[in-house]
Amino acid sequence: KFIVCNADEGDPGAYSDRYLLEHQPHAVILGMMIEGYIVGASWGVLYIRAEYPESIVICEAEIKKLYEKKLLGNNILGTNFSFDFKVIHAQGAYICGEETALLSSIEGQRPEVRVRPPYPAQVGLFNKPTIVNNVETLACIPFILKQGGNAFSAIGVGKSTGTKLVSLDSFFNRPGIYEVDMGTPLSVVFEELGKGFKSEIKAMHIGGPLGGLVPFSKINELNISFESFQEKGFLLGHASVVCIPKEFPLVKYLHHLFVFTAHESCGKCFPCRLGSIRGAELFDKAIHTENKIDKTLLTDLLETMEIGSLCALGGGLPLPIKNAMMYFEEELRAYFS
């Protein structure tokens, strides 16, 4: 059995994993060890993206210290529990943030998304049972073990329990990473923690490239919870906030999202592989020629990607496009037929 930590934080604007790996590495490492003890796994694999060289150095150094103190390895502290670590230096592929592509990458294979079922918990790394969790989840485990599940669930609202690390970009007067209770109003995060915006913005892309495109007018209607974002047709995701300035043409941003997806697609399923290219072509022609986008054609394309894609890369891209078409219809009208 394996415990795998998905530290391939590829969402532009997100750096919460980097913060945890560099400033609280023991929370993540201990979370993996506890999880390994609970499920009977003897190996922990920490998969860190190449763009975080400091995270790799720090985590490897701390793991080495744990080995020296006999807190890792065979028969830890004289018990029958053995646990070893392997740190993987990833190579910068966005698709490796998807758990099954990540497993293929660890095995030395082309990082393609796997068809599920079977799920990694049954057939995962090297066809063995594997638990894959993200950095923030694992960092919460020591607190939950020490304080109890009730103490953790007492924080937050509804099914969104505990806290969330929110990454604010450089459009804020006080950019940075903030840990807030789930349920905290978005306006409090932006105004009290981020100290407002340096310049006028029209939208925020929250939760990475596949997250919701939130118009500025919706700030007071949302809070930091999965339910709040879902009810309004958005996605909290990684809780990274990338601002779109008022003067930036939104059509260029949507074109960029398709280009990004086309570049990062693993190519295994055709809705994502071909759909992202076709979408990029539609917007490219609308921007640079007199061709208009057929709204029905684009809607069909987005639906095909949403339903037919194997993972959230192709399946999640339609959300911000749909948000833009809904809330910025007037700005985009000139590009549609």
Side-chain angles (χ1 to χ4, degrees):
K1 296 177 183 178
F2 295 97
I3 302 297
V4 174
C5 174
N6 181 352
D8 192 59
E9 183 178 51
D11 287 350
Y15 45 94
S16 53
D17 289 0
R18 181 178 185 180
Y19 164 76
L20 288 170
L21 293 170
E22 294 177 13
H23 296 275
Q24 299 189 41
H26 290 119
V28 181
I29 294 167
L30 184 57
M32 294 178 71
M33 293 171 67
I34 293 168
E35 205 173 62
Y37 180 80
I38 291 169
V39 305
S42 56
W43 274 95
V45 182
L46 187 50
Y47 188 98
I48 307 176
R49 70 189 304 229
E51 293 88 342
Y52 290 171
E54 296 93 344
S55 300
I56 293 171
V57 170
I58 289 169
C59 287
E60 286 184 333
E62 296 308 316
I63 288 170
K64 184 180 179 182
K65 289 177 186 175
L66 290 171
Y67 272 110
E68 290 170 353
K69 293 180 180 294
K70 308 298 183 186
L71 295 173
L72 283 174
N74 294 324
N75 305 115
I76 298 170
L77 298 178
T79 67
N80 61 357
F81 176 56
S82 300
F83 199 79
D84 285 288
F85 263 94
K86 173 73 173 177
V87 178
I88 302 290
H89 302 196
Q91 296 300 313
Y94 182 74
I95 193 63
C96 288
E98 197 282 330
E99 62 177 10
T100 61
L102 182 150
L103 296 178
S104 293
S105 174
I106 295 172
E107 293 173 354
Q109 300 183 54
R110 177 185 172 91
E112 288 185 335
V113 176
R114 300 178 183 180
V115 177
R116 285 161 290 192
Y119 293 91
Q122 286 84 41
V123 182
L125 188 60
F126 301 115
N127 293 325
K128 300 295 183 183
T130 304
I131 301 295
V132 185
N133 283 125
N134 64 41
V135 174
E136 199 170 346
T137 298
L138 289 161
C140 290
I141 292 176
F143 173 89
I144 295 170
L145 190 71
K146 187 176 182 181
Q147 304 294 337
N150 291 335
F152 186 84
S153 61
I155 307 167
V157 292
K159 293 182 179 180
S160 300
T161 56
T163 62
K164 192 79 187 79
L165 290 174
V166 182
S167 306
L168 302 184
D169 76 354
S170 59
F171 274 91
F172 289 88
N173 286 312
R174 193 166 69 178
I177 192 158
Y178 298 92
E179 183 179 16
V180 300
D181 289 357
M182 283 288 202
T184 302
L186 205 60
S187 58
V188 170
V189 177
F190 290 174
E191 299 300 328
E192 295 183 17
L193 300 178
K195 298 298 181 185
F197 302 94
K198 290 177 183 175
S199 59
E200 203 170 348
I201 67 160
K202 59 184 170 187
M204 299 138 294
H205 203 165
I206 301 177
L210 315 177
L213 197 66
V214 182
F216 183 82
S217 59
K218 292 287 181 181
I219 289 176
N220 292 322
E221 299 178 26
L222 296 165
N223 62 59
I224 302 295
S225 71
F226 300 109
E227 295 95 321
S228 170
F229 273 70
Q230 189 173 17
E231 286 167 8
K232 298 293 182 181
F234 305 117
L235 183 76
L236 179 62
H238 215 137
S240 57
V241 182
V242 173
C243 297
I244 302 173
K246 190 173 183 180
E247 68 277 5
F248 189 84
L250 196 61
V251 67
K252 288 187 176 180
Y253 189 76
L254 301 183
H255 174 250
H256 169 73
L257 290 178
F258 273 110
V259 171
F260 176 86
T261 304
H263 182 265
E264 297 293 349
S265 174
C266 77
K268 179 147 185 184
C269 67
F270 72 85
C272 176
R273 183 179 75 241
L274 301 181
S276 54
I277 296 288
R278 297 290 88 87
E281 288 172 349
L282 286 173
F283 278 91
D284 184 60
K285 288 179 181 178
I287 294 168
H288 297 109
T289 72
E290 294 183 1
N291 283 40
K292 306 291 185 184
I293 298 172
D294 184 325
K295 190 174 283 189
T296 302
L297 182 65
L298 179 60
T299 302
D300 286 349
L301 175 67
L302 294 175
E303 186 178 347
T304 301
M305 293 182 71
E306 207 167 40
I307 296 172
S309 297
L310 277 175
C311 82
L313 180 54
L317 173 69
L319 178 62
I321 309 296
K322 287 180 176 179
N323 291 155
M325 291 168 67
M326 177 183 291
Y327 294 108
F328 297 94
E329 185 181 7
E330 189 174 336
E331 179 183 339
L332 296 171
R333 186 176 294 140
Y335 301 97
F336 286 87
S337 59

